[in-house]
Amino acid sequence: MEQQQNRAHRPAQSGAKAEKKKGKGKEKQHGFNEKAFAPKSGRRAEKQGRRAAERDQTRLHVPLVDRTPDDEPPPVVVAIVGPPGVGKTTLVKSLVRRYTKQSLNQVQGPVTVVSGKKKRITFLECNNDLNSMIDVAKIADLVLLMIDGSYGFEMETFEFLNILQSHGFPKVIGVLTHLDLIKKASTLKDTKKILKKRFWTEIYQGAKLFYLSGVLNGRYPDTEILNLSRFIGVMKFRPLVFRNTHPYMLADRIEDLTPREQVRESKGKCDRTVTVYGYLRGTNMRMGSKVHIPGVGDLEVKNITKLGDPCPLPDADSEKRRKLSEKKKLLVHAPMSDVGGVIYDKDAVYINVPGNFTRGNDEVPQGEGERMVMDLQDVSATLEDAVARSQIKLFGSSSKALSVDPGPSRLHGSSDEESDGSDEEEEDSEDEGFGTESGWEGESGEDNSDVEDDEDEGEGEGEGGGTGNRGRSAPRTSHRAARGLSTAHDRNGKGKDVEYADSDSDLGELGEDGDGDEDGGLGGGRRVRLEGDEVDIESDDDEEGSDAEEAPRWKADLASKAHAALGSKRRKKNWMKLIYSSDLTPEQILRDGSTSPSGDNKMDEDEDDFFTIKSRGTAAAGDEELDMTKEKVDPKELKQWEDEELLDSIRGLFITGDSNATAGGDDGYEDLEGGADFEDLEATGDGENEEGEQDAEDPEAARAAALAAKKEALKRKFDEQYDDPEASKMDFYEEKKDEIARQLQLNKAEFADVDPEARALVEGYRPGAYVRIELQDVPAEMIENFDPTYPIVVGGLLPAEERFGYLQVRIKRHRWYAKTLKTNDPLIFSLGWRRFQSIPIYSLDDHSIRMRMLKYTPEHMHCYATFYGPVALPNTGFCAFNSLGGDVSGFRVSATGVVLDIDRSTKIVKKLKLTGVPYKIFKNTAFVKDMFNSALEIAKFEGANIRTVSGIRGQVKKALTKPDGAFRATFEDKVLMSDIIFLRAWYSIQPRKFYNPVTSLLLSDKGEWTGMRLTGQVRRDEGLKTPLTVNSTYKAVQRAPRRFNTLKVPKRLQAALPYASKPKLMKPQQRQTYMQKRAVVLEPEEKKAIALLQQVRALRKDQVARRREKQNERKEVHRKKVAKEEAKASEKEKEKRKEYMRAAGMKSKREADREEGRSSKRRKT
Amino acid sequence: MAQPITVLNFSGHQFLRHRLVLSILSGKPVKIDKIRPDDKNPGLRDYEVSLLRLLERVTNGTVIEISVTGTAILLKPGVIAGGSVMHECPLSRSTGYFLEPIVMLAPFAKKPFNLTLRGITSDDRDLSADLIRTVTLPHLQLFGISEGLELRIKKRGSAPLGGGEVQFLCPIVKQVKTLNFVDPGKIKRIRGIAHAVRVSPQFSNRMIEAARSVLNRYIPDIYLYSDVYKGEDSGKSPGYALSLLAESTTGAIHSAETVSQPGVTPEDIALQASRALLSEIRRGGCVDHQHQVLVLLMMVLGSEDVGRCRMGEPTPRTIQFLRDAKQAFGTSFKIIPADQADPESSELLFSCYGTGYINTNRSLA
């Protein structure tokens, strides 16, 4: 059949229709119609403005420094949290698959993947143990909170959210799973809506919630995972305060380094040396600080080593690409899981690759290459050790070999030499026809011999120089000397005699003659070598000579003059080495090993070693070295200031300094600061000899430039002020951010050029580095009972946090926790990195006068708690638990709060009432007994306020001698014998010094940690009865009714009283009164009226009764109807419940089947 | 688990003050032994004992154990409490000896400090009250400790009998600011205080005259105050002193001081002081050399950022402090010559990475 051919549509090119279309298109392109959004009224405009301003303000946060480096940040920790059976492992597998295209069979421990060009992610699955949840909450940057959609929220989810809240809230994404189990579309919609609403109230309105439908091939659908990964990818993280002040590490690998023999001997009970591996996060981790592993305890760090990144970010080759290349995507680092057939266990590495060459595998024939590599691996000692062990004898007959002082000075000495070596290497490459390969060989050889070199160099030409390399190094040295680098060499010489001083006295000696000697020796050596060269050798003899070498004659003269003026010439020293890695005393460092009076002194002492004066006490009594701030002023040094030239020389340091100095710009000024005065002397005193040429054009140009710069600055300032003074000003927020950025820039720049070891020494290991931390004295149980599903967090401690003290915290019982908390009941705190049990005392501030103890936490109110424990910085949040076990029903987070104060003592008081009774009463004085036991006690309370129950106030006066413990007291009124007198006192109490870290990681069954039990629990467990003291039992108080006797006034007194005050006692009336005895007779009308009223009332009564009867009948019918309906409804309800229970039962059964190992109890919300 | 506490071990009687300060700030116990073991009069001196007593007073929970011979002490630090404290200083050292460590501790106390010290206010061994007021406190201001920081000289007291009284007020901070002070600037003004007690008030004027004769050539902005205390406020012994300080355009301060000596005319004292000031200026750097330790300590305690400061050559005290600070806080400094280009310059650039020390004693309640 032939298809019908229609003509193609041709849109109109002109005409009304075309116009219209064009117009329409254009209109759409306009997009923003200003008029449409213009405010119609002034008030509205104001409102809009205000709203805009408010929205602008919401953008602002307190500026926080982010200490994570930008260039190589540590992987982001994405924790996957949820109740068991919700699909956590499936999600990890799906995500790892998404990022790396690899399937993991078994996920254990953290899994690190590269997710982008500048981003890595560590996935961490959190099991259902509360301890793990706490630890994970402290380190997770992003939490994927998994919720079973078909079941709803569970208690663990809420508990976890509360833990998160108290330790700084990281980002949270909700993930709803098992949605495929809900069959009906409308139910699904409703469920989603309900769960979302609840989720939003828990986190914040609009929190991200993902829905994952069913499982395909053991993974979630790829598109859904892709979407989720995109959200993870763009997530931005705000630094959390606690993590921004503490270094920490999530260990992804753990190894036991303890010698096997030691373990065997102690039957596995000895403390272990353990290394943990992982990425550093937070701030810089420095040596010398302790770490805390939650669940284990505080541990000493033996050393930290930076390792190569096992999961490196893609480097420069893919820099140009926008996306991560496919090759890079394959990188995954999960030592505890089975990636690539390698599993790292606590004490072994299992490689699952058969048929390969392995070490110790003797069956496979080994070639020469293999053997060589294996030999290299077998080397047990480093080159340095080998050198140290090698023995050099000066003479064949020497009995002792030369020994090298293995002090810390060794280290820098060798590094010095190495740098020398590299210098030489550079020179090598540019001159002298050494072949590259021979050069390399020679260099390495020389490095080797260099160490020996500096030993025998001082001693002259020993036979150590017998190697061929010696010969090679000689011309190079001479070359250096010829280039005028002999100053550097001199410095080396200095460094050497510094290093080889074994003791102070030795040093003095060296300073004296060793210096000259060695210099001479060096010079001599040089002379020998320099025979071929034409350099003037004599000038090498003294130190200044080399400097003077190139300078004109006048300058040499001047230098010596300056030398004389300044005492001793300053040389550049390596201060860091001198201070941090030498044993010299500060004075020696400053004196620079040159001759000094004290050195002479010591020399003298050394000479007569027969009688050594034990202390120069008598001589030095007057000038004993005091700990003084002011230094003794040397009058000689001050004398020099009488010299006019010297006085003039520092003129440049003042703002009024002569124009020459200012015009000379910074360089002249810098020179001056350097304390190099003689150069200034030449500038001012000796005329412009040298700088003459420079000065000819330089000052002019410099002055012009300075002037221009000044003008420019002024102009800018004027412009700023004139144009808009506000515009140039930044607001507080901007300013702070700018400041932070500048400081970070400085941090980065300051140590950029320092070599890594020195850098680690100065600033520690930076976050993002993959390090190996060696820990000492780790409990054996940690290794024995290691379980990779429980995260190992290594948290760095600040110096303050190693201490213990009383912490005062503000605490509030969680409103979902069913019981109130009681003073002196142990509570488990999660504070800082630690989890520990301690005994708090609750208190409230009583009118700012005292801290008053509370027996129980108040309902819905904060109170204070004080407990003994490790110090945490004020403002750190915490949460508390009564029990961490999984078998507890109900909500487990019992309280949350924040640290307020740290001290070594507490001021909590509780009320104490002492009661007593009067046994003798005078007017306003009473003798009181039964309050105290002895006169001593009373003496302590003299002058104390007392009170009766009826409110009469009084004071304790003095103890009575007769009955022990009785005292005299005065009151403002007369007290009664029946009054109870009490004294209100305050008794100060201290919290018990109890600290019990939760060592859950040391247990074989990690969820079963039990701390101190409550007394009641102990009694229950032991089957003991609560002791009952008779005095503590409550009995009904039997109070006899109080009788008051009638007041009797004596007759005589009565008679004397005035009439008004006389008791008016009258006899009762005998006769009937008129009112009592009269008769009442009704009138006929009255009678009638009363009868009528009576009838009307009777009628009404009858009517009401009948009406009620009828109503009851009606009600009865209705009641019957309702009862019928109710019965029907209850039947229905019963059926429904039955249905539901059946479904739930099936589900739990399914679950139980799915995870047989994890038998954690599931608790319904 | 056992909690092994790292103890700082030192020996010798020297540098006692900064060692105690480091211990208290870092919270690590310090053990100092070999305190004058070979001396005729071994063990701690009275002023050292007095200092320990003062430290015990201003802290809460400090335990000090002194060995029987007095040649070894063990100090287990508590928290710095602050508050108002009164202390009688022995006549062997001036108040400066006691104030210096207190100045280092005071910003990190629980309550603002209000310390009254009685004794000698100026001698030739320690910083006088004038110097602490005019030089030490401005150095503290570099680190953001300024509001309410004050030293009041109530009475002056010269050696040997003293009788002076100073009151030190210091606010508390959460954290000290990071220092970045590398430009020494140029000296823009010179100030000075000449004081004379129980001698002719003319003495201070004579000192001022003499000092001006040296310093006037450099700068016109010189104000030397004559500070005369009379009657009760002038202490028990006669004496006079001149303290000078030079301030640069960037706020760097250099100072010098000379105290009266028997048989030396006031003019000579003034000349000595002004020449010492010139030496100090020539030494260079951004901080006074007597305050290097204070500045370095505050840099160590700064936030976890790089702090930099340019200084003259370190004093022996400074060098020992650097070593001790490394032991206590693990912080080492990067020390490089300030100008690489100039081989003759002795100025150094000290930079370190602060420990991020936060005042844990400060209470929020």
Side-chain angles (χ1 to χ4, degrees), chain A residues 18 81 138 267 429 431 450 461 510 547 604 608 615 646 655 872 914 976 978:
Chain A
V81 183
K138 287 172 188 173
K267 300 201 177 66
S429 57
D431 61 19
D450 252 350
E461 306 287 80
L510 273 180
D547 280 308
D604 290 342
D608 61 353
S615 75
L646 195 62
I655 41 169
L914 305 175
L976 297 176
S978 58

Side-chain angles (χ1 to χ4, degrees), chain A residues 80-90 125-129 133 143-160 175-178 220 892 1147 1151 1154-1155 1158 1160-1165:
Chain A
I80 291 123
V81 183
V86 81
K88 296 188 292 284
T89 314
T90 320
E125 190 188 327
C126 174
N127 54 29
N128 197 39
D129 183 33
M133 289 205 273
V143 173
L144 298 182
L145 196 61
M146 303 198 65
I147 299 146
D148 187 340
S150 66
Y151 191 83
F153 285 96
E154 285 170 59
M155 203 62 102
E156 283 88 354
T157 314
F158 290 118
E159 282 166 355
F160 184 72
V175 179
L176 276 183
T177 56
H178 293 326
Y220 289 111
R892 281 177 288 182
K1147 188 173 176 234
E1151 223 161 65
R1154 200 181 309 158
E1155 24 145 333
R1158 285 183 259 176
S1160 165
K1161 204 177 159 199
R1162 169 169 253 190
R1163 293 163 308 123
K1164 178 88 177 91
T1165 319

Side-chain angles (χ1 to χ4, degrees), chain B residues 11 40 224 227:
Chain B
S11 52
K40 242 186 182 175
L224 306 177
D227 200 8

Side-chain angles (χ1 to χ4, degrees), chain A residues 286 290 579-580 584 624-625 627 629-630 641 647 651 656 669-670 673-674 747 750 901-903, chain B residues 4 13 36 60 93 100 110 185 187 217-218 257 279 305-306 310 323 333-334 339 344 347 354:
Chain A
R286 292 190 229 191
K290 273 190 185 170
I579 291 173
Y580 288 123
L584 298 176
E624 185 211 32
E625 280 184 63
D627 190 8
T629 312
K630 277 189 196 165
W641 287 103
L647 281 172
R651 185 149 269 178
T656 51
Y669 178 50
E670 296 287 350
E673 293 178 338
N747 293 355
E750 185 66 23
D901 191 20
I902 288 142
D903 212 336
Chain B
H13 67 278
R36 304 189 186 89
N60 183 14
R93 291 308 279 263
E100 273 180 69
K110 193 176 281 299
I187 305 299
R217 64 194 296 146
Y218 293 112
E257 188 186 45
S279 308
D305 289 309
V306 172
R310 183 171 168 151
R323 290 176 171 175
F333 278 80
K334 179 180 144 189
D339 332 89
E344 293 301 326
E347 279 182 62

Side-chain angles (χ1 to χ4, degrees), chain A residues 725-744:
Chain A
E726 290 302 302
S728 62
K729 240 196 280 168
M730 286 189 289
D731 60 343
F732 171 78
Y733 186 63
E734 297 285 326
E735 233 170 65
K736 280 282 163 208
K737 277 178 83 169
D738 202 46
E739 201 175 291
I740 287 169
R742 241 182 299 126
Q743 184 65 52
L744 283 177

